[in-house]
Structures are given as structure tokens and as C-alpha cells.
């Protein structure tokens, strides 16, 4: 694939906070540990090496082996799991929900970013080992966010009445989803591979966690990806002391609230991604996942009749840690407690809430990971690339909002000048003389002069707009072609990676899709990529 780069700031799709982070603005430096540059990993390795308990390694490896016991483990993944027992091995983690058939395209970009970064780290620090890890968000309970994917402009959806954590959802009903999807796929060799992949993942496994593990393993197991499920009793035992500080001392609530206040002082434009709760844990049992709330010294499980005294809840946490599920604030800490992790790779929204967490990690003595914005890309087919060339479009212009995009292009191709800036400048010069005259004669006329200037400028604006509209009508066919192209590249006026499922690209590229993406995506480039194939 040919690769072009666009600064994230110029795409218009990334927040002020993330753009400032990528530019390493000085005011943001207290909110993260080290910026993700290859040379900065040396210090991060030393910190994690000193701070990660050696006793956690055998527990982690044993849990992973148990989670993989009913799956075919690739040679590369088996090697990495074994290496995690050694104190010179570290991880690079990305996480994602259990979206149906991977959901949006950026699922692939996240994991490829993690795999590629471990390769670069091994080249730079050969004395260490680096393992790419995909954290499955099996304990999430927002089914509506994950029960569909888009394919050729249509929503392929799994309709089901559910409650509780999604990882244990039974896969019944997905045979009907498969039939709908298979009908749309067609009968090419690549279509057959996609059908087999869907069938083997979702119709041959009984729950969503197992189906997702199989799918991710099929796509990335050859590259050594290690898939971890945090819904694990042995791993959660390691979380108990930290959960106690959250539930009974409200440590993250206080520290994260303070950080949010400090972030708001840096810029009022920074949108706060998540707010902490006094208690950042759910109770997980028999198909329910409900918040734990404290009322008058007792601890209630929201929307249930379950109530614990403080001592009863401490006993429950000690005896059944698997019943305590961290929320979006506590989950990052859980990840860093159980993994020898150096770096978390996520999207803009994820990094925004990670930037709220550093003081909380510091308070609990857990090393804060480096934060890397995952690769983002726009993939152009050969046909789309030819259209762009034929229409003489600049790639950067495609990222403009549609009205600005059309207006700019109409001005570019019009055989008359639809820009009244010279006339406006001439008008301002004329009124400058009138202001001077009013100053020297009667200052009370300044307001009247100003009103007349505004009126005449508005008149020029109106004429400019009418002329532009006339040119749009005259060049209607061209407008239709460029808007159709932009709509195909930015479905629903959103980034392609947030809308398309990987299956659309797989139909064109087949088994070459992932190798091509891995070759083209550089996790440390810090720019938005445009890929042409």
C-alpha cells in the first residue's frame, strides 16, 4: 500500500485534548508518565521492572494457559505466554469490546499497532522480550454498543434480550445473523473465507467471550497475539487490596476528581471523558452487573435487594473476588496490576480518560503506562484513487465538512472568480477614508458610517453566495461526483474506520489485508494515514 500522512489536527476528527497531547504541550506533561517515543521506553522498562511483583508472573501465565485450554494455540502465542514468566518480558496492551465480528475497522488497527510496536521495541531493546496483548472487555454490559456491525451501508444486527456482562452471553440466535450476512457476501473465494470465519467463531462456540477469542486468534495468532480475559478469579485475587482502597477509602474518587479539576484549569476546551464514582466497582453475579453504592454505612447492589455491611462486603471480596467487576476508572488499574505492561494503545476517547488517572496510580504505587494513540487510517481502493485523480482532488480536502469541500472545489474549477475578497478590501479602504472624515468633522457620524459598511459587506457576501450557488447548479454533475466520493470515504460523515467492518476490505484484499496493514501502519508515526491499494 502507498502511504500518505495528514496531521491529526488537520483531519477535524480529533479533540483539542488529544491534539495537544500529540504536540506534547507543556501543561499536559503532569498528566502522563512518558510520551511514546522509542527512546523513552528505556526508562519505562526500568520502572516496570522494579515495580512489577515477580509473584504475579506465574499467576498470570497459569491463568492464560487455563483460558486457552480449549483453543488451538499458535506457536508464536505459546512462545509469548511462556516468556511472560521471565522478568525480562513486558507487554504492550490494547483493549476492545466484544463487538460482533470485530465491529468497526479500527479493531484491526488497535491490535496491529500493538503487534508492530512490540516488533520495534525488540529491535531497539534486544535484551528484552515484548508481548502484544489484546484485553477482551468481557465484563462490559452495554449490549447495544456491540451487537451489530456495518456491511455495505447496512446494519447486520443481533437482536437478543440480555442482562449482565456480555462475555458470558450465549451465542444462540447468531445463526440467523449469519444467514443475513452470508446472503450479502456473495460467492467469491474471499467471501467463503469470511463465512467460514463467522461460522467457526460464533456458531461453534457457546458464549461471546469464547467466540471473540477464537476470532482474534484466527486473525492474529500467527503474530503471537496474547488474548486475556480479566473475568478470572485467580487474576482478580491480585486486585483485592486495590479494590478495598476504592470501596472503603474512595481513593480513586478523590484523586481522579482532583485531576479533572487540574485538567479543566489547563483548558476549558478539554471535555472530561469520564467522572469517577465514590465506588468504582460493579457486583457481578447470575446475569447481573450492577453498581455497588454506599448508603448509611451499608453497601447496596443497585437495582437489587442485595445489601452488605462493611465487614460482610470485605469477606465477600476476599472469598469471591470474581464477583467484583471494575468500571472504566478501575479497569485500567486492574490491567496494570496483573500485567508487566509498558504501554496502552487506545483511541482518542480512551486516552482522554487515561489522562485523568495518573495521580490515582501514583497514590497506589502502580507504574503508569505510556499512552499511545492507535493508528488511524483511511483506506482507498484503486477505483477510489483513480476517481480522486480524475477529479483533481487533494486528499486533505476530503476531510473538510461537505459544504466547505464543495465550495472550495467549485472555486477551484470555476472559470470565474467567486471570491469577493478584493472587493471587500477595496470597500474597507473607502470606508477608512470616510471614518477619517467623520473624525475630523462630526464624530456622531461614525456609527452611521459603520452601519453602512456592515450593510455593504453583507451585500457583497449575499452576492458571493448567490454566484456560488449559480456555479453549483451549472457544475451540478461535478458536485454530485465529488460528494458521492466523499460520502463513500466518510460514511455517515464519520471516519471510515469507525463505520466499516473489516469484511468489506477483506472481500477485495483477502488474506493479504492484515499483512498489508501491518506493513503500512507505523504505531509511532503520530499522523493520520491514507493508504492506497
Amino acid at each position: 500500500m502507498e502511504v500518505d500522512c495528514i496531521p491529526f489536527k488537520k483531519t477535524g476528527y480529533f479533540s483539542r485534548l488529544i491534539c495537544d497531547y500529540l504536540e506534547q504541550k507543556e501543561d499536559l506533561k503532569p498528566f502522563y508518565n512518558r510520551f511514546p517515543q522509542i527512546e523513552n521506553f528505556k526508562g519505562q522498562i526500568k520502572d516496570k521492572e522494579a515495580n512489577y511483583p515477580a509473584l504475579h508472573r506465574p499467576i498470570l501465565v497459569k491463568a492464560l494457559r487455563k483460558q486457552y485450554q480449549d483453543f488451538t494455540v499458535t506457536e508464536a502465542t505459546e512462545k509469548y505466554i511462556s516468556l511472560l514468566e521471565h522478568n525480562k518480558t513486558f507487554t504492550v496492551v490494547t483493549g476492545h469490546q466484544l463487538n460482533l465480528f470485530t465491529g468497526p475497522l479500527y479493531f484491526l488497527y488497535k491490535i496491529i499497532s500493538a503487534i508492530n510496536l512490540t516488533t520495534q521495541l525488540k529491535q531497539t531493546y534486544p535484551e528484552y522480550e515484548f508481548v502484544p496483548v489484546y484485553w477482551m472487555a468481557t465484563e462490559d454490559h452495554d449490549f447495544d454498543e456491540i451487537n451489530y456491525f456495518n456491511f455495505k451501508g447496512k446494519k447486520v444486527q443481533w437482536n437478543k434480550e440480555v442482562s449482565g456482562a456480555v462475555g458470558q452471553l450465549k451465542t444462540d440466535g447468531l445463526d440467523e445473523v449469519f444467514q443475513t450476512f452470508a446472503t450479502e457476501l456473495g460467492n467469491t473465494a474471499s467471501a467463503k473465507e469470511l463465512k467460514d470465519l463467522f461460522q467457526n467463531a460464533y456458531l461453534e462456540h457457546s458464549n461471546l467471550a469464547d467466540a471473540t477469542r477464537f476470532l482474534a486468534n484466527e486473525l492474529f495468532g500467527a503474530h503471537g497475539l496474547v488474548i486475556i480475559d480479566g473475568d478470572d478469579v485467580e487474576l482478580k485475587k491480585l486486585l483485592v487490596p486495590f479494590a478495598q482502597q476504592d470501596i472503603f477509602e474512595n481513593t480513586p474518587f478523590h484523586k481522579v476528581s482532583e485531576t479533572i479539576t487540574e485538567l479543566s484549569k489547563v483548558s476549558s476546551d478539554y471535555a472530561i471523558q469520564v467522572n469517577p464514582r465514590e465506588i468504582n466497582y460493579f457486583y457481578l453475579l447470575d446475569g447481573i452487573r450492577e453498581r455497588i453504592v454506599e448508603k448509611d454505612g451499608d453497601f447496596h447492589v443497585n437495582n437489587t435487594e442485595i445489601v452488605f455491611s462493611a465487614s460482610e462486603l470485605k469477606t465477600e471480596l476476599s472469598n469471591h473476588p470474581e464477583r467484583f467487576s471494575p468500571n472504566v476508572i478501575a479497569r485500567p488499574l486492574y490491567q496494570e496490576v496483573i500485567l508487566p505492561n509498558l504501554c496502552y494503545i487506545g483511541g482518542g476517547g480512551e486516552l482522554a480518560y487515561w489522562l485523568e488517572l495518573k495521580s490515582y496510580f501514583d497514590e497506589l504505587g502502580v507504574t503508569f503506562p505510556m499512552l499511545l494513540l492507535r493508528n488511524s487510517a483511511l483506506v482507498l481502493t484503486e477505483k477510489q484513487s483513480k476517481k480522486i485523480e480524475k477529479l483533481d482532488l487533494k486528499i486533505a480536502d476530503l476531510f473538510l465538512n461537505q459544504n466547505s469541500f464543495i465550495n472550495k472545489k467549485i472555486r477551484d474549477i470555476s472559470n470565474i472568480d467567486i471570491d469577493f475578497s478584493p472587493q471587500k478590501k477595496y470597500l474597507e479602504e473607502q470606508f477608512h477614508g470616510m471614518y477619517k472624515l467623520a473624525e475630523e468633522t462630526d464624530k456622531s457620524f461614525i456609527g452611521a458610517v459603520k452601519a453602512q459598511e456592515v450593510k455593504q459587506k453583507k451585500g457583497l457576501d449575499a452576492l458571493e453566495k448567490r454566484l456560488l450557488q449559480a456555479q453549483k447548479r451549472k457544475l451540478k454533475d461535478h458536485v454530485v461526483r465529488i460528494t458521492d466520493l466523499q460520502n463513500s470515504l466518510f460514511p455517515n460523515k464519520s471516519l471510515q474506520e469507525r463505520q466499516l467492518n473489516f469484511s468489506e476490505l477483506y472481500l477485495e484484499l483477502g488474506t493479504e489485508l492484515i499483512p498489508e496493514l501491518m506493513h503500512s501502519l507505523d504505531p509511532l508515526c503520530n499522523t493520520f494515514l491514507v493508504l492506497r491499494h
Side-chain angles (χ1 to χ4, degrees), residues 73-183:
V73 185
T74 65
E75 185 178 339
T77 296
E78 174 58 40
K79 173 191 170 187
Y80 278 148
I81 291 174
S82 297
L83 284 172
L84 283 167
E85 290 199 81
H86 304 298
N87 62 5
K88 295 292 186 181
T89 302
F90 299 92
T91 63
V92 170
V93 179
T94 192
H96 198 64
Q97 296 169 295
L98 307 189
N99 294 71
L100 187 61
F101 212 45
T102 75
L105 185 57
Y106 67 76
F107 173 85
L108 268 63
Y109 299 164
K110 277 185 166 184
I111 292 177
I112 290 170
S113 295
I115 294 169
N116 282 350
L117 180 56
T118 59
T119 301
Q120 291 185 20
L121 287 170
K122 181 61 177 173
Q123 291 168 352
T124 307
Y125 305 100
E127 66 273 29
Y128 296 98
E129 299 290 344
F130 304 95
V131 177
V133 173
Y134 161 44
W135 182 290
M136 294 196 298
T138 57
E139 295 181 49
D140 281 4
H141 59 257
D142 198 337
F143 183 64
D144 290 340
E145 287 188 2
I146 67 164
N147 70 340
Y148 71 94
F149 63 93
N150 298 316
F151 181 72
K152 294 186 176 179
K154 297 179 181 178
K155 198 172 191 178
V156 181
Q157 188 163 342
W158 180 22
N159 295 308
K160 185 182 178 75
E161 290 293 324
V162 304
S163 64
V166 297
Q168 295 307 310
L169 288 180
K170 300 302 180 186
T171 52
D172 54 284
L174 281 171
D175 51 344
E176 296 174 14
V177 175
F178 171 68
Q179 293 302 327
T180 301
F181 182 42
T183 301

Side-chain angles (χ1 to χ4, degrees), residues 60-68 81 84 226-228:
L60 172 63
V61 170
K62 184 179 178 182
L64 286 169
R65 293 199 189 286
K66 185 178 178 183
Q67 291 181 16
Y68 270 96
I81 291 174
L84 283 167
V226 173
I227 303 160
I228 190 167

Side-chain angles (χ1 to χ4, degrees), residues 371-496:
L371 304 177
L372 177 62
L373 184 65
R374 64 167 172 82
N375 281 128
S376 283
L378 173 66
V379 181
L380 304 177
T381 64
E382 185 178 357
K383 186 177 179 181
Q384 288 167 333
S385 293
K386 286 180 179 177
K387 281 186 180 179
I388 290 170
E389 290 176 16
K390 187 175 180 180
L391 293 167
D392 195 25
L393 296 171
K394 295 181 176 67
I395 293 292
D397 290 346
L398 290 163
F399 287 82
L400 295 169
N401 74 63
Q402 195 155 93
N403 196 48
S404 299
F405 174 52
I406 293 169
N407 289 348
K408 185 176 188 302
K409 189 58 188 171
I410 291 300
R411 284 190 167 97
D412 288 345
I413 65 174
S414 181
N415 56 3
I416 59 173
D417 191 1
I418 317 175
D419 182 0
F420 285 3
S421 297
Q423 286 84 353
K424 291 173 188 173
K425 185 176 180 182
Y426 178 74
L427 191 65
E428 287 170 358
E429 290 171 354
Q430 299 303 305
F431 273 95
H432 179 73
M434 295 178 70
Y435 282 123
K436 189 175 180 182
L437 183 62
E439 282 276 355
E440 293 174 353
T441 54
D442 188 342
K443 290 184 179 181
S444 66
F445 277 97
I446 290 177
V449 174
K450 179 66 177 175
Q452 192 60 227
E453 181 185 16
V454 169
K455 181 179 179 180
Q456 294 200 30
K457 280 185 175 178
K458 283 183 177 178
L460 282 175
D461 286 340
L463 288 173
E464 187 177 20
K465 287 177 182 176
R466 287 185 64 181
L467 188 57
L468 188 60
Q469 289 299 324
Q471 282 298 96
K472 282 184 185 178
R473 289 191 294 271
K474 185 177 179 181
L475 300 168
K476 182 180 178 181
D477 288 345
H478 199 92
V479 170
V480 168
R481 288 199 297 274
I482 64 174
T483 53
D484 283 350
L485 176 62
Q486 190 185 46
N487 289 339
S488 70
L489 294 173
F490 296 86
N492 296 321
K493 295 183 171 52
S494 178
L495 287 177
Q496 178 195 69

Side-chain angles (χ1 to χ4, degrees), residues 180-228:
T180 301
F181 182 42
T183 301
E184 296 289 336
L185 275 171
N187 297 303
T188 64
S190 294
K192 184 179 185 309
E193 290 164 4
L194 288 168
K195 291 174 189 177
D196 290 344
L197 187 59
F198 192 102
Q199 277 186 302
N200 292 335
Y202 294 99
L203 307 190
E204 301 298 327
H205 293 88
S206 61
N207 63 58
L208 193 55
D210 286 351
T212 305
R213 182 184 295 275
F214 175 88
L215 180 60
N217 192 50
E218 284 293 299
L219 292 173
F220 296 105
H223 303 283
L225 181 70
V226 173
I227 303 160
I228 190 167

